[in-house]
């Protein structure tokens, strides 16, 4: 076992050496080591920071450094052998987490530390870490009798397996479907989309054009394809993924998986002493209660639904008058919306693409961050990586590295859809006194470059790049030395989107776009008239977009608040009810959006999807400070860095926001930024 690279210390993960057969033995060894080490810590009875908290952090960081690259490879380079090894470890890791969270000796040791004279001498971050640890012990069922503790652990293990199954089903369903079509069925598609579909076909050794359900393929069809029957066929395949409907009905069906996940979450919450899983979820949120969140979402709905209804009525009028479409179907709305956007603002995503070659957009991102936060970037071509697409960069301050990140921009087979930031290394003080620098994974699924040309991004993709990098900045610019509250760790989930949504603003203003956008052939900046049209179109159908997010948020919160043991029909009925309340777009009976809703069934957003809107209030209000001072005012930028980005979870998010803004957050900047003009 000594030659297993997952058991050795590495500055960065040795991706080339991580093969499926070494994963489970490494995890078995590490888990056994950790448990033995924790038992020794408790037996030695040292209830001090250095004798208890610091060594426990080191133990768990070693496990994290081994598991993080395995989990990341499973998401970005999925294969049957890797998936099997990954799945074999999930129950063991879950059991370890339950054992740790219910270890009475460890709990009592932390209680003693919290009540000691040393506690008052510790710094703020250390005290917050101890407080969070005691809270998490209680949320893990530390006070339960033996039988209920055992059941709590069984539920956690089963939920871990079910979430992975849900994710696998979505990935498999996405990759199981494709459609090969001749060129004549693709009228209306821009050249960039045709090149992508041709490359899909070429990669599989077939003639013509291949449509898949990956976003760079799916989205252009829904937005640009003149062939209505084609749009319907692709739409149907997409919205029925992993369900009992559609072309692969029942093959990767998440119906029972969803139902069991919700049922077990509610049982888990009840064991922990909460009325519902929504209440359990709020214990680590900025919001006080599910009722407060429902009031917040209801207020936004009252303001947005009338405007969204008017926006959809205008779309229907346009479709009838200009497109000869009497009644809009779901597969028509994206297409008609793009036509209306072009007619109203004379702008399209395709017109913007030449100004956002991917290398230039990345360089522009770095320039924006450099101006705001006084850091610079340096690529490291020697860093180990998992695919030739991947790049690694150091972040420098005064010429010295303070963090690093992997950048993986393009969609490919075996890579989970969507975009995300994840932790590779967390900033912490090691036992030798040195700082372990934070390292992030930044993953997107943009359209790949074709031939010798760089990938040309849509403006929406540039927004995604800035969004995920905002999460990365939160992780990488932290100044916290304790892992539990370093970066995004310990940050209330409904505040964690603040930096990501804040960074998107630079993609809308001239000062930011002058650093980001330059024509792929001429290097020319974005012309004034194009910028004016882009800005004018920013709030195109903004209320429709908002009510779509409210639909997701209300469905998620009500599902985890109202249903104790739902079946798939109950879940569908609830979603139908929410749609009746806030949705304005047409619906079809076979739509099974929930079967692919990975955020809440396979991610960290269960009873927390509202966090996007909650944090958007914070980010819009934070941006208004830059609007007042100047969008690149470095004093304001450094204050945002010191008050928000550097603090991690050391202090409550509400306190940090008030420190930055000088007051409690206001909803008005969000309404203004979103173009929502209806009053409640």
């Amino acid at each position: 076992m000594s030659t297993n690279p997952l058991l050795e210390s590495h500055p960065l993960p040795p991706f080339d050496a991580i093969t499926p057969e070494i994963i489970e033995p490494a995890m078995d060894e590490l888990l056994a080591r950790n448990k033995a080490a924790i038992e020794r810590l408790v037996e030695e009875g040292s209830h001090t920071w250095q004798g208890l908290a610091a060594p426990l952090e080191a133990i768990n960081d070693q496990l994290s450094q081994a598991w993080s690259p395995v989990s990341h490879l499973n998401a970005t380079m999925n294969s049957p052998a890797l998936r099997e090894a990954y799945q074999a470890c999930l129950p063991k890791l879950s059991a370890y987490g339950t054992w740790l969270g219910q270890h009475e000796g460890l709990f009592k040791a932390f209680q003693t530390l919290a009540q000691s004279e040393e506690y008052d001498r510790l710094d703020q971050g250390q005290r917050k870490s101890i407080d969070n640890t005691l809270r998490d012990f209680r949320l893990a069922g530390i006070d339960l009798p033996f039988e209920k503790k055992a059941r709590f652990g069984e539920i956690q293990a089963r939920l871990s397996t079910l979430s992975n199954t849900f994710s696998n089903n979505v990935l498999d369903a996405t990759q199981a479907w494709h459609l090969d079509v001749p060129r004549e069925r693709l009228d209306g598609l821009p050249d960039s989309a045709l090149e992508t579909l041709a490359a899909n076909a070429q990669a599989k050794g077939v003639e013509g054009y291949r449509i898949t359900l990956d976003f760079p393929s799916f989205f252009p069809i829904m937005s640009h394809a003149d062939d209505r029957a084609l749009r319907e066929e692709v739409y149907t395949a997409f919205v029925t993924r992993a369900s009992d409907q559609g072309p692969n009905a029942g093959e990767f069906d998440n119906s029972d998986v969803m139902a069991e996940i919700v049922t077990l979450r509610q049982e888990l919450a009840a064991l922990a002493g909460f009325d519902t899983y929504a209440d359990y979820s709020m214990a680590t949120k900025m919001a006080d209660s599910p009722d407060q969140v429902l009031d917040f979402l209801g207020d936004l709905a009252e303001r947005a639904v009338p405007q969204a209804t008017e926006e959809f009525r205008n779309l229907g009028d346009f479709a009838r008058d200009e497109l000869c479409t009497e009644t809009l179907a779901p597969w028509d709305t994206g297409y008609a919306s793009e036509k209306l956007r072009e007619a109203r603002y004379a702008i399209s995503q395709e017109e913007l693409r030449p100004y956002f070659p991917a290398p230039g957009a990345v360089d522009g991102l770095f320039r924006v961050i450099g101006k705001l936060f006084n850091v610079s970037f340096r690529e490291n071509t020697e860093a180990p990586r998992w695919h030739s697409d991947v790049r690694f960069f150091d972040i420098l301050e005064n010429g010295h590295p303070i963090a690093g990140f992997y950048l993986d921009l393009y969609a490919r087979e075996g890579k989970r859809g969507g975009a995300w930031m994840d932790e590779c290394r967390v900033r912490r003080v090691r036992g030798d006194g040195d700082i372990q620098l934070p390292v992030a994974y930044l993953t997107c699924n943009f359209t790949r470059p074709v031939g010798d040309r760089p990938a040309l991004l849509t403006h929406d993709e540039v927004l995604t790049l800035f969004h995920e990098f905002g999460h990365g900045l939160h992780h990488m610019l932290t100044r916290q030395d304790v892992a539990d509250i370093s970066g995004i760790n310990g940050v209330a989930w409904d505040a964690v989107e603040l930096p990501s949504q804040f960074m998107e603003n630079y993609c809308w203003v001239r000062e930011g776009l002058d650093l980001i956008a330059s024509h792929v052939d001429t290097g020319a900046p974005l012309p004034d008239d194009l910028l004016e049209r882009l800005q004018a179109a920013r709030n195109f159908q903004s209320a429709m977009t908002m009510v779509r997010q409210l639909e997701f948020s209300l469905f998620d919160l009500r599902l985890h608040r109202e249903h104790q043991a739902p079946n798939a029909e109950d879940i569908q009925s609830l979603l139908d009810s929410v749609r009746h309340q806030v949705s304005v777009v047409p619906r079809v009976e076979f739509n099974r959006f929930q079967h692919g809703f990975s955020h809440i069934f396979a991610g960290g957003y269960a009873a927390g999807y509202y966090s996007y809107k909650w944090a958007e209030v914070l980010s819009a209000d934070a941006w208004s400070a830059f609007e007042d001072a100047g969008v690149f005012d470095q004093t304001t930028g450094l204050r945002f860095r010191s008050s928000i980005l550097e603090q991690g979870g050391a202090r409550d998010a509400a306190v940090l926001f008030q420190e930055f803004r000088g007051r409690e957050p206001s909803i008005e900047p969000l309404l203004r930024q979103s173009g929502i003009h209806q009053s409640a």
Side-chain angles (χ1 to χ4, degrees), residues 451-528:
D452 297 330
R453 299 268 287 177
L456 301 180
L457 306 184
T458 65
H459 185 256
D460 286 344
E461 287 176 326
V462 177
L463 288 169
T464 298
L465 175 66
F466 272 67
H467 180 102
E468 297 308 329
F469 213 91
H471 285 308
L473 291 173
H474 209 176
H475 174 70
M476 293 184 288
L477 295 188
T478 186
R479 291 291 190 187
Q480 302 307 312
D481 295 335
V482 179
D484 286 345
I485 48 93
S486 179
I488 65 171
N489 293 322
V491 178
W493 197 257
D494 42 10
V496 81
E497 296 291 336
L498 164 57
S500 56
Q501 292 171 334
F502 166 80
M503 286 301 301
E504 293 181 29
N505 289 289
Y506 286 93
C507 304
W508 291 105
V509 295
R510 166 58 75 189
E511 298 94 325
L513 286 166
D514 278 348
L515 301 178
I516 304 164
S518 60
H519 195 280
V520 63
D521 294 322
T522 67
L526 197 68
D528 287 340

Side-chain angles (χ1 to χ4, degrees), residues 140-169:
I142 190 67
D143 299 321
L144 295 175
F146 176 79
E147 298 81 7
K148 290 186 176 180
K149 277 186 180 177
R151 177 57 183 158
F152 197 98
E154 291 170 2
I155 293 172
Q156 286 188 314
R158 180 62 178 159
L159 284 172
S160 177
T161 298
L162 287 168
S163 293
N164 185 58
T165 299
F166 186 97
S167 183
N168 286 341
N169 284 343

Side-chain angles (χ1 to χ4, degrees), residues 306-582:
Q307 185 172 327
T309 302
E310 180 64 21
E311 289 172 356
F312 187 72
R313 184 180 300 116
N314 292 337
L315 181 65
D317 292 343
F318 173 82
R320 184 177 57 255
D321 296 342
E322 302 297 331
L323 306 178
C324 300
T325 302
E326 285 300 319
T327 303
L328 286 174
W331 45 89
D332 299 323
T333 54
Y335 177 77
S337 294
E338 188 62 25
K339 295 296 185 186
L340 177 58
R341 186 202 312 268
E342 293 174 9
R344 184 176 294 176
Y345 303 105
I347 194 169
S348 70
Q349 290 287 335
E350 293 307 312
E351 187 178 4
L352 292 164
R353 272 190 195 270
Y355 290 93
F356 297 114
V362 170
D363 289 344
L365 168 68
F366 294 168
R367 289 194 290 270
V368 168
I369 293 165
K371 286 174 68 72
L372 275 175
F373 305 125
N374 199 28
V375 295
S376 59
F377 298 82
R378 179 180 65 197
E379 185 166 9
N380 177 357
T381 58
E382 301 301 316
R385 64 205 71 213
W386 58 93
H387 190 275
S388 58
D389 285 347
V390 178
R391 303 169 72 188
F392 184 87
F393 295 87
D394 293 308
I395 298 183
L396 309 176
E397 186 170 44
N398 299 321
H400 300 289
I402 60 170
F405 60 94
Y406 286 98
L407 194 60
D408 186 359
L409 292 182
Y410 305 116
R412 60 176 174 270
E413 191 170 355
K415 184 178 180 182
R416 178 164 60 88
W420 66 92
M421 188 283 294
D422 204 358
E423 178 184 293
C424 176
R425 298 283 188 270
V426 64
R427 178 185 162 99
R428 55 181 287 268
V429 175
R430 296 196 297 250
D432 59 8
D434 288 343
I435 297 290
Q436 176 174 288
L437 298 183
V439 178
Y441 301 117
L442 292 157
T443 310
C444 300
N445 272 276
F446 299 153
T447 306
R448 299 184 59 81
V450 177
D452 297 330
R453 299 268 287 177
L456 301 180
L457 306 184
T458 65
H459 185 256
D460 286 344
E461 287 176 326
V462 177
L463 288 169
T464 298
L465 175 66
F466 272 67
H467 180 102
E468 297 308 329
F469 213 91
H471 285 308
L473 291 173
H474 209 176
H475 174 70
M476 293 184 288
L477 295 188
T478 186
R479 291 291 190 187
Q480 302 307 312
D481 295 335
V482 179
D484 286 345
I485 48 93
S486 179
I488 65 171
N489 293 322
V491 178
W493 197 257
D494 42 10
V496 81
E497 296 291 336
L498 164 57
S500 56
Q501 292 171 334
F502 166 80
M503 286 301 301
E504 293 181 29
N505 289 289
Y506 286 93
C507 304
W508 291 105
V509 295
R510 166 58 75 189
E511 298 94 325
L513 286 166
D514 278 348
L515 301 178
I516 304 164
S518 60
H519 195 280
V520 63
D521 294 322
T522 67
L526 197 68
D528 287 340
D529 71 308
L530 195 52
L531 172 60
E532 289 168 6
R533 286 182 276 143
L534 173 65
Q535 292 173 333
R538 178 176 185 178
N539 289 325
F540 174 66
Q541 296 183 343
S542 59
M544 286 175 60
T545 301
M546 181 173 284
V547 297
R548 180 72 166 147
Q549 289 296 306
L550 294 176
E551 175 188 321
F552 299 161
S553 301
L554 286 165
F555 167 69
D556 166 46
L557 193 66
R558 289 183 56 189
L559 179 64
H560 290 99
R561 187 172 187 253
E562 299 175 11
H563 286 272
Q564 293 299 317
N567 56 34
E569 290 74 23
D570 295 329
I571 294 173
Q572 183 66 56
S573 295
L574 174 63
L575 181 56
D576 292 341
S577 171
V578 170
R579 285 174 170 163
H580 180 74
Q581 177 187 355
V582 298

Side-chain angles (χ1 to χ4, degrees), residues 179-227:
L179 181 66
D180 295 329
V181 295
R183 172 63 183 85
E184 54 266 25
R185 292 204 68 188
L186 298 175
D187 288 348
L189 262 68
D191 290 343
S192 61
L194 292 172
E195 290 170 355
T196 295
L197 301 187
N200 289 346
Q202 185 177 12
K204 294 298 182 181
V206 297
E207 296 292 327
Y209 300 82
R210 171 163 291 191
I211 302 167
T212 71
L213 298 181
D214 290 319
F215 191 78
S217 175
F218 164 79
F219 181 75
I221 296 295
M222 302 314 302
S223 301
H224 298 287
D226 295 334
D227 187 332

Side-chain angles (χ1 to χ4, degrees), residues 20 23-25 27-28 31 67 81-94 161 164:
I23 293 171
E24 189 174 7
M27 292 303 117
D28 288 341
L31 292 175
W67 183 244
L82 179 60
R83 179 184 293 190
E84 182 179 358
Y86 176 82
Q87 291 179 165
C89 296
L90 287 179
K92 300 177 182 183
L93 288 161
S94 178
T161 298
N164 185 58

